[in-house]
Amino acid sequence: MFRSLSPGAIGASVENLADGLDLAARHGFAGYHFSISEVAAMGAEEALALAARKGVRLSAWGFPVDFRGEEAAYQASLAQLPELAKVAAALGVRRTATWLMPTSDELTYQENFAFHVERLRPAAAVLADEGVRLGLEYVAPKTLWSSKQYEFVHTMEQMEELCQAVGENVGFLLDSWHWYTAHETAEDVRRLRPQQVVDVHVNDAPAGVEIDDQLDNVRDLPGATGVIDIATFLSALQHIGYDGPVMVEPFSERVRAMKREEAVAATAAALGRVWEQAGLR
């Protein structure tokens, strides 16, 4: 495993890939979550050379297909995916990920399941042609999945079923927040094969709030409260041999209010502390 920076996830803005890589390098991050569209525009060779100069590896990229939208938008974004997947293969960065909404007012669980298989399977097949894996994140807070008429995927077990239906190259974007709010344990992580884990997010939860009362967009930096046992979460990932990036996604107004350098420094320090607690190097 290695620590990776995603500036947008902490509310920090960057001008471009060079600026982002420089920011990651200054604060000791080994990796950087990037925009595949930006790299496609500049060229894989130039992006790799830039990353090498900064001493930071390109670690993962956001899934660019508009699978939630109208059919026309979906088809248009899907048509662009083969070229983007080729760029990712040229970079040697074969990890992309996204999240799924755990509830709906229109679709029952089975209808929503079928919809996601229909939308995601063709994209997964395109990615598979270039050896790229797709990570899907279940969103677990009860306050969210119970907020509409029909619940949808919100646990590791449910997501595993969906992944199997979508494609062999489809696995998890695992987030310590959703692992915690799904009432899951280290054993749930330890039973996974390393190939099933595509990307990882870590963050903490507010103290004094029951698990089922946690709100999805109210979190904190990893280790800030100690509510989530992130060291155990990371140790379980280490146990199964996960070798990919770990990034912070705190949804914290306190962090968003910081100046850019301060926010990235605080994120790096928090991630470093839980890394040490987990006995990682």
Side-chain angles (χ1 to χ4, degrees), residues 36-37 61-67 77-78 80-81 84 96-97 127:
I36 191 66
S37 298
W61 41 284
F63 183 58
V65 176
D66 184 9
F67 65 96
S77 59
L78 183 64
Q80 297 173 357
L81 188 61
L84 296 177
T96 184
L127 295 173

Side-chain angles (χ1 to χ4, degrees), residues 178-226:
H178 301 304
W179 170 77
Y180 166 73
T181 54
H183 297 265
E184 291 164 346
T185 69
E187 289 309 308
D188 291 302
V189 177
R190 290 166 70 98
R191 71 174 179 79
L192 300 175
R193 292 173 286 106
Q195 295 81 7
Q196 289 180 274
V197 185
V198 179
D199 202 354
V200 170
H201 295 176
V202 290
N203 39 75
D204 215 336
V209 181
E210 294 295 325
I211 295 179
D212 288 343
D213 294 329
Q214 294 282 358
L215 300 176
D216 191 50
N217 62 349
V218 183
R219 312 182 191 178
D220 213 327
L221 291 171
T225 65

